[in-house]
Amino acid sequence: MAFVRNAWYVAAYGREVDGAPLVRNIAGDPILFFREPGGRLAALLDVCPHRFAPLSAGTITAGTVQCGYHGLKFNASGVCTHNPHGKGAIPRTLAVRTFPVVERDDLIWLWAGDPALADEQRVPDCSFLVDPQRRTLSGYTRIASSYRLMVDNLTDLGHAQYLHGSNFATDAFGQLRRLLTVDRDRVTASLTIPDGTTPAIWKRLLDFPDQRVNMWLDTYWFAVSSLVTVIGIAPVGTPKEQNVNTKSAHLLTPETETSHHYFFSNSRNFRLDDADVDQMLLGWQQQALVAEDAPMVEAIEQRSGVANRYGLTPTMLACDEASVRVGRIIEELLAAEAAAAMAF
Ligand code: FES
Ligand SMILES: [Fe+2]
Protein backbone atom coordinates (compact mmCIF):
# COMPACT_ATOMS: atom_id res chain seq x y z
CA MET A 1 0.00 0.00 0.00
CA ALA A 2 1.40 3.32 -0.99
CA PHE A 3 0.82 5.22 2.22
CA VAL A 4 3.32 7.17 4.19
CA ARG A 5 2.74 5.77 7.66
CA ASN A 6 5.00 7.93 9.75
CA ALA A 7 2.76 10.94 9.51
CA TRP A 8 0.03 12.76 11.36
CA TYR A 9 -3.37 12.46 9.70
CA VAL A 10 -6.63 13.98 10.79
CA ALA A 11 -8.89 11.20 12.00
CA ALA A 12 -11.96 13.21 13.01
CA TYR A 13 -13.28 16.43 14.42
CA GLY A 14 -13.24 16.50 18.23
CA ARG A 15 -17.04 16.46 18.45
CA GLU A 16 -17.26 13.21 16.47
CA VAL A 17 -15.94 11.16 19.38
CA ASP A 18 -17.71 12.94 22.22
CA GLY A 19 -20.71 10.63 22.11
CA ALA A 20 -20.67 7.14 20.67
CA PRO A 21 -17.44 5.40 19.67
CA LEU A 22 -16.28 5.97 16.12
CA VAL A 23 -14.67 3.61 13.61
CA ARG A 24 -12.74 5.17 10.76
CA ASN A 25 -10.45 3.56 8.22
CA ILE A 26 -7.13 5.37 8.04
CA ALA A 27 -4.29 4.42 5.75
CA GLY A 28 -5.75 0.95 5.29
CA ASP A 29 -6.40 0.34 9.00
CA PRO A 30 -9.79 0.28 10.71
CA ILE A 31 -9.37 2.30 13.90
CA LEU A 32 -11.74 2.38 16.85
CA PHE A 33 -11.92 5.63 18.81
CA PHE A 34 -13.56 5.99 22.19
CA ARG A 35 -13.20 8.08 25.29
CA GLU A 36 -12.18 6.80 28.69
CA PRO A 37 -14.34 8.03 31.58
CA GLY A 38 -11.79 10.79 32.30
CA GLY A 39 -12.07 12.03 28.71
CA ARG A 40 -8.78 10.69 27.38
CA LEU A 41 -9.13 9.46 23.82
CA ALA A 42 -8.25 5.88 22.91
CA ALA A 43 -7.40 4.80 19.35
CA LEU A 44 -7.20 1.01 18.90
CA LEU A 45 -6.82 -1.12 15.83
CA ASP A 46 -10.35 -2.43 15.36
CA VAL A 47 -9.20 -6.05 15.26
CA CYS A 48 -9.44 -8.40 18.21
CA PRO A 49 -6.14 -10.26 18.59
CA HIS A 50 -7.97 -13.53 19.38
CA ARG A 51 -9.63 -14.32 16.07
CA PHE A 52 -9.75 -10.88 14.48
CA ALA A 53 -13.35 -9.89 15.13
CA PRO A 54 -14.00 -6.15 14.93
CA LEU A 55 -13.81 -4.85 18.48
CA SER A 56 -16.30 -2.16 17.50
CA ALA A 57 -18.95 -4.90 17.29
CA GLY A 58 -18.53 -5.47 21.03
CA THR A 59 -19.42 -3.21 23.93
CA ILE A 60 -17.52 -0.38 25.54
CA THR A 61 -18.00 0.21 29.24
CA ALA A 62 -15.95 2.45 31.52
CA GLY A 63 -13.01 2.68 29.14
CA THR A 64 -12.90 -1.05 28.45
CA VAL A 65 -13.93 -2.75 25.24
CA GLN A 66 -15.31 -6.27 25.40
CA CYS A 67 -15.12 -8.25 22.19
CA GLY A 68 -18.56 -9.38 21.06
CA TYR A 69 -17.31 -12.75 19.81
CA HIS A 70 -15.73 -14.56 22.81
CA GLY A 71 -15.79 -11.89 25.48
CA LEU A 72 -12.15 -10.86 25.93
CA LYS A 73 -11.77 -7.40 27.45
CA PHE A 74 -9.16 -4.77 26.58
CA ASN A 75 -8.40 -1.44 28.17
CA ALA A 76 -7.71 1.82 26.34
CA SER A 77 -4.01 0.95 26.20
CA GLY A 78 -4.83 -2.25 24.31
CA VAL A 79 -3.94 -4.48 27.25
CA CYS A 80 -6.11 -7.57 27.76
CA THR A 81 -7.66 -7.32 31.22
CA HIS A 82 -10.02 -10.27 31.19
CA ASN A 83 -10.13 -13.71 29.58
CA PRO A 84 -13.34 -15.59 30.45
CA HIS A 85 -12.00 -18.90 29.08
CA GLY A 86 -10.12 -21.74 30.76
CA LYS A 87 -8.30 -20.49 33.84
CA GLY A 88 -8.35 -16.95 32.52
CA ALA A 89 -4.64 -16.79 31.68
CA ILE A 90 -3.73 -13.87 29.43
CA PRO A 91 -1.03 -14.70 26.87
CA ARG A 92 1.19 -11.76 25.96
CA THR A 93 0.10 -11.88 22.35
CA LEU A 94 -3.38 -10.86 23.45
CA ALA A 95 -2.79 -7.14 23.01
CA VAL A 96 -4.40 -4.68 20.66
CA ARG A 97 -2.30 -2.23 18.67
CA THR A 98 -2.91 1.37 19.78
CA PHE A 99 -2.11 4.58 17.95
CA PRO A 100 -0.80 7.92 19.26
CA VAL A 101 -3.39 10.68 19.02
CA VAL A 102 -3.27 14.42 19.57
CA GLU A 103 -6.34 16.57 20.12
CA ARG A 104 -5.72 20.11 18.99
CA ASP A 105 -7.62 22.91 17.26
CA ASP A 106 -10.85 20.89 17.40
CA LEU A 107 -9.14 18.15 15.37
CA ILE A 108 -8.06 14.66 16.28
CA TRP A 109 -4.73 13.76 14.70
CA LEU A 110 -3.55 10.17 14.49
CA TRP A 111 -0.01 8.94 13.97
CA ALA A 112 -0.34 6.01 11.59
CA GLY A 113 3.22 4.69 11.87
CA ASP A 114 5.80 3.65 14.44
CA PRO A 115 4.63 5.05 17.79
CA ALA A 116 8.23 5.64 18.84
CA LEU A 117 8.59 8.21 16.05
CA ALA A 118 5.41 10.17 16.82
CA ASP A 119 6.46 13.77 17.40
CA GLU A 120 3.70 16.15 18.49
CA GLN A 121 5.80 19.08 17.30
CA ARG A 122 5.13 17.96 13.76
CA VAL A 123 1.35 18.24 13.97
CA PRO A 124 0.51 20.94 11.38
CA ASP A 125 -0.52 24.25 12.94
CA CYS A 126 -4.24 24.79 12.42
CA SER A 127 -4.73 27.16 15.36
CA PHE A 128 -6.47 29.66 13.08
CA LEU A 129 -9.45 27.30 13.13
CA VAL A 130 -10.13 28.24 16.74
CA ASP A 131 -9.01 31.88 16.57
CA PRO A 132 -11.76 34.07 18.10
CA GLN A 133 -10.84 36.80 15.59
CA ARG A 134 -12.04 34.55 12.82
CA ARG A 135 -15.22 32.70 11.98
CA THR A 136 -14.74 29.06 10.97
CA LEU A 137 -17.12 26.72 9.15
CA SER A 138 -16.13 23.10 8.77
CA GLY A 139 -17.28 20.09 6.81
CA TYR A 140 -16.34 16.62 5.69
CA THR A 141 -16.72 14.48 2.61
CA ARG A 142 -15.34 11.12 1.59
CA ILE A 143 -13.80 11.06 -1.85
CA ALA A 144 -13.40 8.04 -4.11
CA SER A 145 -9.90 8.80 -5.31
CA SER A 146 -6.34 8.55 -4.12
CA TYR A 147 -5.54 11.41 -1.74
CA ARG A 148 -2.67 12.23 -4.12
CA LEU A 149 -5.11 13.54 -6.73
CA MET A 150 -6.61 15.96 -4.23
CA VAL A 151 -3.13 17.09 -3.18
CA ASP A 152 -2.52 17.87 -6.86
CA ASN A 153 -5.77 19.81 -7.01
CA LEU A 154 -4.98 21.95 -3.99
CA THR A 155 -1.38 22.71 -4.87
CA ASP A 156 -2.57 24.70 -7.87
CA LEU A 157 -5.38 27.03 -6.83
CA GLY A 158 -5.27 28.47 -10.34
CA HIS A 159 -7.75 25.73 -11.29
CA ALA A 160 -10.41 27.94 -9.69
CA GLN A 161 -10.43 30.06 -12.86
CA TYR A 162 -11.93 27.09 -14.74
CA LEU A 163 -13.34 24.44 -12.43
CA HIS A 164 -14.85 27.06 -10.12
CA GLY A 165 -15.16 29.69 -12.82
CA SER A 166 -18.77 30.65 -12.12
CA ASN A 167 -17.67 31.94 -8.71
CA PHE A 168 -14.03 32.60 -9.10
CA ALA A 169 -13.04 33.71 -12.59
CA THR A 170 -11.32 37.05 -13.06
CA ASP A 171 -10.26 38.88 -16.22
CA ALA A 172 -6.65 39.09 -14.95
CA PHE A 173 -5.91 35.34 -14.93
CA GLY A 174 -3.37 35.89 -17.73
CA GLN A 175 -1.35 38.15 -15.39
CA LEU A 176 -1.03 35.41 -12.74
CA ARG A 177 2.41 35.26 -11.08
CA ARG A 178 3.75 32.25 -9.23
CA LEU A 179 6.24 31.95 -6.41
CA LEU A 180 7.29 28.56 -5.05
CA THR A 181 9.34 27.75 -1.97
CA VAL A 182 10.33 24.21 -1.09
CA ASP A 183 11.59 23.05 2.30
CA ARG A 184 12.22 19.53 3.47
CA ASP A 185 8.63 18.58 4.17
CA ARG A 186 6.86 21.83 3.42
CA VAL A 187 6.01 23.51 0.12
CA THR A 188 4.49 26.96 -0.31
CA ALA A 189 2.93 27.99 -3.59
CA SER A 190 1.89 31.64 -3.81
CA LEU A 191 -0.15 33.01 -6.65
CA THR A 192 -0.78 36.68 -7.26
CA ILE A 193 -3.43 37.88 -9.67
CA PRO A 194 -3.04 41.64 -9.94
CA ASP A 195 -5.54 44.23 -11.06
CA GLY A 196 -8.52 42.13 -12.03
CA THR A 197 -12.29 42.14 -11.88
CA THR A 198 -13.71 40.97 -8.56
CA PRO A 199 -14.73 37.30 -8.77
CA ALA A 200 -18.47 36.76 -8.35
CA ILE A 201 -18.22 35.08 -4.95
CA TRP A 202 -16.25 37.95 -3.45
CA LYS A 203 -18.76 40.45 -4.80
CA ARG A 204 -21.48 38.63 -2.91
CA LEU A 205 -19.43 38.17 0.25
CA LEU A 206 -18.11 41.68 0.54
CA ASP A 207 -20.73 43.79 -1.08
CA PHE A 208 -17.86 45.37 -3.01
CA PRO A 209 -18.52 48.19 -5.41
CA ASP A 210 -17.38 47.43 -8.94
CA GLN A 211 -13.63 48.02 -8.69
CA ARG A 212 -10.30 46.51 -9.68
CA VAL A 213 -8.74 44.19 -7.10
CA ASN A 214 -5.54 42.33 -6.37
CA MET A 215 -5.95 38.73 -5.34
CA TRP A 216 -3.58 36.40 -3.51
CA LEU A 217 -3.94 32.64 -3.40
CA ASP A 218 -1.41 30.91 -1.18
CA THR A 219 -1.15 27.19 -0.56
CA TYR A 220 0.91 25.75 2.28
CA TRP A 221 1.48 22.02 2.06
CA PHE A 222 2.66 20.08 5.10
CA ALA A 223 3.79 16.51 4.64
CA VAL A 224 2.01 14.34 3.89
CA SER A 225 -1.40 15.63 2.98
CA SER A 226 -2.36 18.60 5.13
CA LEU A 227 -2.86 21.86 3.29
CA VAL A 228 -3.74 25.38 4.32
CA THR A 229 -4.91 27.82 1.68
CA VAL A 230 -5.26 31.56 2.12
CA ILE A 231 -7.25 33.51 -0.42
CA GLY A 232 -7.09 37.26 0.04
CA ILE A 233 -8.45 40.19 -1.90
CA ALA A 234 -8.02 43.96 -1.70
CA PRO A 235 -8.79 46.92 -3.94
CA VAL A 236 -5.81 47.83 -6.14
CA GLY A 237 -3.50 50.10 -4.13
CA THR A 238 -4.26 48.47 -0.76
CA PRO A 239 -1.32 46.46 0.67
CA LYS A 240 -1.60 42.68 0.98
CA GLU A 241 -1.47 42.93 4.78
CA GLN A 242 -4.83 44.70 4.77
CA ASN A 243 -6.68 42.17 2.68
CA VAL A 244 -9.84 40.42 3.63
CA ASN A 245 -9.28 36.73 3.44
CA THR A 246 -10.47 33.25 3.99
CA LYS A 247 -7.99 30.80 5.44
CA SER A 248 -8.90 27.20 4.87
CA ALA A 249 -7.64 23.87 6.08
CA HIS A 250 -7.84 21.00 3.63
CA LEU A 251 -6.90 17.95 5.63
CA LEU A 252 -6.68 14.82 3.54
CA THR A 253 -6.41 11.41 5.12
CA PRO A 254 -5.87 8.35 2.98
CA GLU A 255 -8.45 5.65 3.57
CA THR A 256 -7.67 3.10 0.86
CA GLU A 257 -5.56 3.31 -2.29
CA THR A 258 -8.54 4.82 -4.06
CA SER A 259 -10.37 6.77 -1.38
CA HIS A 260 -9.68 9.43 1.17
CA HIS A 261 -11.28 11.52 3.88
CA TYR A 262 -11.50 15.24 3.22
CA PHE A 263 -11.85 17.48 6.30
CA PHE A 264 -12.34 21.03 5.09
CA SER A 265 -12.87 24.32 6.80
CA ASN A 266 -13.19 27.96 5.92
CA SER A 267 -12.08 30.60 8.37
CA ARG A 268 -12.67 34.25 7.52
CA ASN A 269 -11.53 37.56 8.97
CA PHE A 270 -14.56 39.61 7.87
CA ARG A 271 -18.27 39.84 8.72
CA LEU A 272 -17.80 37.34 11.53
CA ASP A 273 -21.34 37.55 12.90
CA ASP A 274 -23.15 37.63 9.60
CA ALA A 275 -25.37 34.56 9.17
CA ASP A 276 -25.89 35.36 5.47
CA VAL A 277 -22.15 35.15 4.90
CA ASP A 278 -22.15 31.83 6.76
CA GLN A 279 -24.77 30.51 4.38
CA MET A 280 -22.90 31.78 1.33
CA LEU A 281 -19.66 30.15 2.44
CA LEU A 282 -21.31 26.88 3.39
CA GLY A 283 -22.88 26.92 -0.06
CA TRP A 284 -19.49 27.66 -1.59
CA GLN A 285 -17.92 24.68 0.22
CA GLN A 286 -20.66 22.39 -1.03
CA GLN A 287 -20.44 23.66 -4.58
CA ALA A 288 -16.69 24.06 -5.00
CA LEU A 289 -15.35 21.20 -2.91
CA VAL A 290 -18.13 18.62 -2.94
CA ALA A 291 -19.82 19.29 -6.30
CA GLU A 292 -16.84 20.47 -8.41
CA ASP A 293 -13.49 19.28 -7.00
CA ALA A 294 -14.62 15.88 -5.71
CA PRO A 295 -16.28 14.64 -8.94
CA MET A 296 -13.29 15.87 -10.95
CA VAL A 297 -10.68 13.94 -8.98
CA GLU A 298 -12.99 10.90 -8.78
CA ALA A 299 -13.39 10.95 -12.58
CA ILE A 300 -9.61 11.18 -12.97
CA GLU A 301 -9.20 8.22 -10.62
CA GLN A 302 -11.61 6.22 -12.77
CA ARG A 303 -9.57 7.02 -15.84
CA SER A 304 -6.22 6.01 -14.35
CA GLY A 305 -6.63 2.45 -15.65
CA VAL A 306 -7.24 3.51 -19.22
CA ALA A 307 -4.46 6.09 -19.01
CA ASN A 308 -2.10 3.30 -17.95
CA ARG A 309 -3.29 1.09 -20.77
CA TYR A 310 -2.45 3.80 -23.27
CA GLY A 311 0.90 4.47 -21.62
CA LEU A 312 -0.12 8.02 -20.75
CA THR A 313 1.75 10.06 -18.19
CA PRO A 314 0.68 13.54 -17.05
CA THR A 315 1.93 16.44 -19.14
CA MET A 316 3.58 19.01 -16.92
CA LEU A 317 2.72 22.68 -17.37
CA ALA A 318 3.63 25.79 -15.40
CA CYS A 319 0.64 25.24 -13.13
CA ASP A 320 1.97 21.82 -12.07
CA GLU A 321 5.27 22.85 -10.57
CA ALA A 322 4.14 22.82 -6.94
CA SER A 323 2.38 19.49 -7.28
CA VAL A 324 5.47 18.01 -8.92
CA ARG A 325 7.66 19.15 -6.02
CA VAL A 326 5.17 17.88 -3.46
CA GLY A 327 4.83 14.58 -5.33
CA ARG A 328 8.59 14.17 -5.30
CA ILE A 329 8.74 14.64 -1.52
CA ILE A 330 5.93 12.11 -1.02
CA GLU A 331 7.82 9.62 -3.21
CA GLU A 332 10.95 10.18 -1.14
CA LEU A 333 9.06 9.59 2.09
CA LEU A 334 7.55 6.40 0.68
CA ALA A 335 10.94 5.19 -0.52
CA ALA A 336 12.53 5.93 2.87
CA GLU A 337 9.86 3.94 4.69
CA ALA A 338 10.14 1.05 2.22
CA ALA A 339 13.92 0.98 2.69
CA ALA A 340 13.57 1.07 6.49
CA ALA A 341 11.09 -1.83 6.31
CA MET A 342 13.51 -3.86 4.16
CA ALA A 343 16.38 -3.21 6.58
CA PHE A 344 14.17 -4.32 9.45
S1 FES B 1 -12.39 -12.74 18.40
FE1 FES B 1 -12.46 -11.39 20.07
S2 FES B 1 -12.70 -12.64 21.78
FE2 FES B 1 -12.59 -13.99 20.14
FE1 LIG C 1 -10.95 23.43 -6.17
PDB file of all heavy atoms in Angstrom, residues 150 153-154 156-157 159-160 163-164 250 262 284 288-289 292-294, ligand 2:
ATOM      1  N   MET A 150      -6.101  14.746  -4.868  1.00  0.00           N
ATOM      2  CA  MET A 150      -6.608  15.963  -4.227  1.00  0.00           C
ATOM      3  C   MET A 150      -5.450  16.865  -3.794  1.00  0.00           C
ATOM      4  O   MET A 150      -5.579  18.088  -3.806  1.00  0.00           O
ATOM      5  CB  MET A 150      -7.514  15.602  -3.045  1.00  0.00           C
ATOM      6  CG  MET A 150      -8.316  16.776  -2.544  1.00  0.00           C
ATOM      7  SD  MET A 150      -9.309  17.595  -3.823  1.00  0.00           S
ATOM      8  CE  MET A 150     -10.907  16.893  -3.485  1.00  0.00           C
ATOM      9  N   ASN A 153      -4.744  18.779  -6.824  1.00  0.00           N
ATOM     10  CA  ASN A 153      -5.769  19.808  -7.011  1.00  0.00           C
ATOM     11  C   ASN A 153      -5.443  21.048  -6.174  1.00  0.00           C
ATOM     12  O   ASN A 153      -5.473  22.177  -6.662  1.00  0.00           O
ATOM     13  CB  ASN A 153      -7.128  19.208  -6.602  1.00  0.00           C
ATOM     14  CG  ASN A 153      -8.242  20.219  -6.519  1.00  0.00           C
ATOM     15  OD1 ASN A 153      -8.208  21.128  -5.684  1.00  0.00           O
ATOM     16  ND2 ASN A 153      -9.256  20.081  -7.354  1.00  0.00           N
ATOM     17  N   LEU A 154      -5.111  20.823  -4.913  1.00  0.00           N
ATOM     18  CA  LEU A 154      -4.985  21.953  -3.987  1.00  0.00           C
ATOM     19  C   LEU A 154      -3.650  22.676  -4.110  1.00  0.00           C
ATOM     20  O   LEU A 154      -3.517  23.810  -3.638  1.00  0.00           O
ATOM     21  CB  LEU A 154      -5.171  21.452  -2.550  1.00  0.00           C
ATOM     22  CG  LEU A 154      -6.615  21.068  -2.222  1.00  0.00           C
ATOM     23  CD1 LEU A 154      -6.668  20.137  -1.019  1.00  0.00           C
ATOM     24  CD2 LEU A 154      -7.439  22.316  -1.949  1.00  0.00           C
ATOM     25  N   ASP A 156      -2.431  23.652  -6.848  1.00  0.00           N
ATOM     26  CA  ASP A 156      -2.571  24.702  -7.865  1.00  0.00           C
ATOM     27  C   ASP A 156      -3.964  25.319  -7.758  1.00  0.00           C
ATOM     28  O   ASP A 156      -4.921  24.854  -8.386  1.00  0.00           O
ATOM     29  CB  ASP A 156      -2.360  24.178  -9.280  1.00  0.00           C
ATOM     30  CG  ASP A 156      -2.733  25.285 -10.275  1.00  0.00           C
ATOM     31  OD1 ASP A 156      -2.498  26.471  -9.958  1.00  0.00           O
ATOM     32  OD2 ASP A 156      -3.301  24.973 -11.339  1.00  0.00           O
ATOM     33  N   LEU A 157      -4.066  26.390  -6.997  1.00  0.00           N
ATOM     34  CA  LEU A 157      -5.379  27.030  -6.832  1.00  0.00           C
ATOM     35  C   LEU A 157      -5.802  27.752  -8.107  1.00  0.00           C
ATOM     36  O   LEU A 157      -6.941  28.207  -8.213  1.00  0.00           O
ATOM     37  CB  LEU A 157      -5.355  28.002  -5.651  1.00  0.00           C
ATOM     38  CG  LEU A 157      -5.207  27.346  -4.286  1.00  0.00           C
ATOM     39  CD1 LEU A 157      -5.278  28.390  -3.187  1.00  0.00           C
ATOM     40  CD2 LEU A 157      -6.280  26.287  -4.051  1.00  0.00           C
ATOM     41  N   HIS A 159      -6.654  26.476 -10.651  1.00  0.00           N
ATOM     42  CA  HIS A 159      -7.751  25.734 -11.291  1.00  0.00           C
ATOM     43  C   HIS A 159      -9.102  26.387 -11.014  1.00  0.00           C
ATOM     44  O   HIS A 159     -10.077  26.112 -11.708  1.00  0.00           O
ATOM     45  CB  HIS A 159      -7.752  24.257 -10.864  1.00  0.00           C
ATOM     46  CG  HIS A 159      -8.278  24.026  -9.472  1.00  0.00           C
ATOM     47  ND1 HIS A 159      -7.482  23.972  -8.362  1.00  0.00           N
ATOM     48  CD2 HIS A 159      -9.541  23.832  -9.006  1.00  0.00           C
ATOM     49  CE1 HIS A 159      -8.226  23.764  -7.283  1.00  0.00           C
ATOM     50  NE2 HIS A 159      -9.484  23.674  -7.647  1.00  0.00           N
ATOM     51  N   ALA A 160      -9.142  27.274 -10.023  1.00  0.00           N
ATOM     52  CA  ALA A 160     -10.410  27.944  -9.693  1.00  0.00           C
ATOM     53  C   ALA A 160     -10.936  28.761 -10.876  1.00  0.00           C
ATOM     54  O   ALA A 160     -12.145  28.931 -11.042  1.00  0.00           O
ATOM     55  CB  ALA A 160     -10.230  28.846  -8.474  1.00  0.00           C
ATOM     56  N   LEU A 163     -12.432  25.384 -13.090  1.00  0.00           N
ATOM     57  CA  LEU A 163     -13.342  24.443 -12.430  1.00  0.00           C
ATOM     58  C   LEU A 163     -14.359  25.172 -11.552  1.00  0.00           C
ATOM     59  O   LEU A 163     -15.495  24.728 -11.407  1.00  0.00           O
ATOM     60  CB  LEU A 163     -12.519  23.444 -11.602  1.00  0.00           C
ATOM     61  CG  LEU A 163     -13.260  22.256 -10.995  1.00  0.00           C
ATOM     62  CD1 LEU A 163     -14.051  21.486 -12.047  1.00  0.00           C
ATOM     63  CD2 LEU A 163     -12.273  21.317 -10.292  1.00  0.00           C
ATOM     64  N   HIS A 164     -13.938  26.274 -10.958  1.00  0.00           N
ATOM     65  CA  HIS A 164     -14.853  27.060 -10.118  1.00  0.00           C
ATOM     66  C   HIS A 164     -15.144  28.414 -10.766  1.00  0.00           C
ATOM     67  O   HIS A 164     -15.372  29.417 -10.079  1.00  0.00           O
ATOM     68  CB  HIS A 164     -14.254  27.276  -8.721  1.00  0.00           C
ATOM     69  CG  HIS A 164     -13.706  26.029  -8.098  1.00  0.00           C
ATOM     70  ND1 HIS A 164     -14.442  24.866  -7.991  1.00  0.00           N
ATOM     71  CD2 HIS A 164     -12.481  25.743  -7.566  1.00  0.00           C
ATOM     72  CE1 HIS A 164     -13.684  23.934  -7.398  1.00  0.00           C
ATOM     73  NE2 HIS A 164     -12.504  24.439  -7.146  1.00  0.00           N
ATOM     74  N   HIS A 250      -7.403  22.114   4.477  1.00  0.00           N
ATOM     75  CA  HIS A 250      -7.845  21.004   3.625  1.00  0.00           C
ATOM     76  C   HIS A 250      -7.037  19.805   4.100  1.00  0.00           C
ATOM     77  O   HIS A 250      -5.874  19.651   3.734  1.00  0.00           O
ATOM     78  CB  HIS A 250      -7.560  21.283   2.151  1.00  0.00           C
ATOM     79  CG  HIS A 250      -8.142  22.572   1.660  1.00  0.00           C
ATOM     80  ND1 HIS A 250      -9.372  22.663   1.073  1.00  0.00           N
ATOM     81  CD2 HIS A 250      -7.649  23.831   1.694  1.00  0.00           C
ATOM     82  CE1 HIS A 250      -9.626  23.913   0.752  1.00  0.00           C
ATOM     83  NE2 HIS A 250      -8.601  24.651   1.117  1.00  0.00           N
ATOM     84  N   TYR A 262     -11.802  13.829   3.478  1.00  0.00           N
ATOM     85  CA  TYR A 262     -11.502  15.236   3.221  1.00  0.00           C
ATOM     86  C   TYR A 262     -12.181  16.070   4.313  1.00  0.00           C
ATOM     87  O   TYR A 262     -13.397  16.202   4.337  1.00  0.00           O
ATOM     88  CB  TYR A 262     -12.029  15.603   1.824  1.00  0.00           C
ATOM     89  CG  TYR A 262     -11.695  16.997   1.324  1.00  0.00           C
ATOM     90  CD1 TYR A 262     -10.896  17.879   2.031  1.00  0.00           C
ATOM     91  CD2 TYR A 262     -12.186  17.427   0.096  1.00  0.00           C
ATOM     92  CE1 TYR A 262     -10.601  19.142   1.543  1.00  0.00           C
ATOM     93  CE2 TYR A 262     -11.899  18.693  -0.405  1.00  0.00           C
ATOM     94  CZ  TYR A 262     -11.106  19.542   0.329  1.00  0.00           C
ATOM     95  OH  TYR A 262     -10.818  20.793  -0.152  1.00  0.00           O
ATOM     96  N   TRP A 284     -20.721  27.695  -0.775  1.00  0.00           N
ATOM     97  CA  TRP A 284     -19.494  27.661  -1.590  1.00  0.00           C
ATOM     98  C   TRP A 284     -18.730  26.358  -1.343  1.00  0.00           C
ATOM     99  O   TRP A 284     -18.263  25.702  -2.275  1.00  0.00           O
ATOM    100  CB  TRP A 284     -18.638  28.878  -1.258  1.00  0.00           C
ATOM    101  CG  TRP A 284     -17.168  28.717  -1.503  1.00  0.00           C
ATOM    102  CD1 TRP A 284     -16.190  28.533  -0.583  1.00  0.00           C
ATOM    103  CD2 TRP A 284     -16.515  28.725  -2.787  1.00  0.00           C
ATOM    104  NE1 TRP A 284     -14.967  28.415  -1.190  1.00  0.00           N
ATOM    105  CE2 TRP A 284     -15.131  28.536  -2.538  1.00  0.00           C
ATOM    106  CE3 TRP A 284     -16.949  28.859  -4.095  1.00  0.00           C
ATOM    107  CZ2 TRP A 284     -14.197  28.476  -3.560  1.00  0.00           C
ATOM    108  CZ3 TRP A 284     -16.003  28.804  -5.119  1.00  0.00           C
ATOM    109  CH2 TRP A 284     -14.647  28.615  -4.848  1.00  0.00           C
ATOM    110  N   ALA A 288     -18.051  24.141  -4.476  1.00  0.00           N
ATOM    111  CA  ALA A 288     -16.685  24.060  -4.998  1.00  0.00           C
ATOM    112  C   ALA A 288     -16.022  22.734  -4.627  1.00  0.00           C
ATOM    113  O   ALA A 288     -15.436  22.065  -5.488  1.00  0.00           O
ATOM    114  CB  ALA A 288     -15.857  25.221  -4.466  1.00  0.00           C
ATOM    115  N   LEU A 289     -16.119  22.365  -3.356  1.00  0.00           N
ATOM    116  CA  LEU A 289     -15.352  21.200  -2.908  1.00  0.00           C
ATOM    117  C   LEU A 289     -16.093  19.895  -3.183  1.00  0.00           C
ATOM    118  O   LEU A 289     -15.511  18.922  -3.676  1.00  0.00           O
ATOM    119  CB  LEU A 289     -15.035  21.313  -1.411  1.00  0.00           C
ATOM    120  CG  LEU A 289     -14.406  22.640  -0.957  1.00  0.00           C
ATOM    121  CD1 LEU A 289     -14.048  22.591   0.512  1.00  0.00           C
ATOM    122  CD2 LEU A 289     -13.178  22.974  -1.787  1.00  0.00           C
ATOM    123  N   GLU A 292     -17.743  20.209  -7.264  1.00  0.00           N
ATOM    124  CA  GLU A 292     -16.840  20.475  -8.407  1.00  0.00           C
ATOM    125  C   GLU A 292     -15.504  19.747  -8.260  1.00  0.00           C
ATOM    126  O   GLU A 292     -15.119  18.968  -9.133  1.00  0.00           O
ATOM    127  CB  GLU A 292     -16.637  21.993  -8.558  1.00  0.00           C
ATOM    128  CG  GLU A 292     -17.916  22.681  -9.037  1.00  0.00           C
ATOM    129  CD  GLU A 292     -17.883  24.210  -9.037  1.00  0.00           C
ATOM    130  OE1 GLU A 292     -16.994  24.822  -8.406  1.00  0.00           O
ATOM    131  OE2 GLU A 292     -18.789  24.806  -9.652  1.00  0.00           O
ATOM    132  N   ASP A 293     -14.787  19.955  -7.148  1.00  0.00           N
ATOM    133  CA  ASP A 293     -13.488  19.279  -6.995  1.00  0.00           C
ATOM    134  C   ASP A 293     -13.639  17.763  -6.882  1.00  0.00           C
ATOM    135  O   ASP A 293     -12.923  17.003  -7.549  1.00  0.00           O
ATOM    136  CB  ASP A 293     -12.761  19.782  -5.747  1.00  0.00           C
ATOM    137  CG  ASP A 293     -12.158  21.165  -5.939  1.00  0.00           C
ATOM    138  OD1 ASP A 293     -11.626  21.424  -7.031  1.00  0.00           O
ATOM    139  OD2 ASP A 293     -12.208  21.969  -4.996  1.00  0.00           O
ATOM    140  N   ALA A 294     -14.535  17.327  -5.988  1.00  0.00           N
ATOM    141  CA  ALA A 294     -14.619  15.884  -5.706  1.00  0.00           C
ATOM    142  C   ALA A 294     -14.951  15.080  -6.968  1.00  0.00           C
ATOM    143  O   ALA A 294     -14.237  14.116  -7.284  1.00  0.00           O
ATOM    144  CB  ALA A 294     -15.636  15.614  -4.599  1.00  0.00           C
TER     145      ALA A 294
HETATM  146 FE    FE B   2     -10.953  23.426  -6.170  1.00  0.00          FE
END
